[in-house]
Amino acid sequence: MAKLINLNRARKQRARDDKRDKSAENAVDHGLSKAEKRLMATRNTRAQKMLDQHKHEDDHDA
């Protein structure tokens, strides 16, 4: 005898699986690896330090 399945449940599960696959593909296409994130953070930190070093303490905006 064939196994009975709920067609609504099967349809919703298939839609969830498709959405999960699509999101995984987007994460690969548009996301950054951990090493790339760390490199970008390091570069931003170094750039901010360089800017801070070039600030003049006696400059006033008034």
Side-chain angles (χ1 to χ4, degrees), residues 40-54:
M40 195 167 17
T42 303
R43 286 181 178 167
N44 289 341
T45 303
R46 291 182 72 201
Q48 187 62 41
K49 285 181 183 180
M50 289 284 277
L51 287 174
D52 289 342
Q53 291 173 356
H54 291 286

Side-chain angles (χ1 to χ4, degrees), residues 22-33 36-37 40:
K22 177 80 170 164
S23 66
E25 290 173 12
N26 287 340
V28 169
D29 291 342
H30 301 290
L32 297 175
S33 70
E36 290 171 329
K37 288 178 187 177
M40 195 167 17

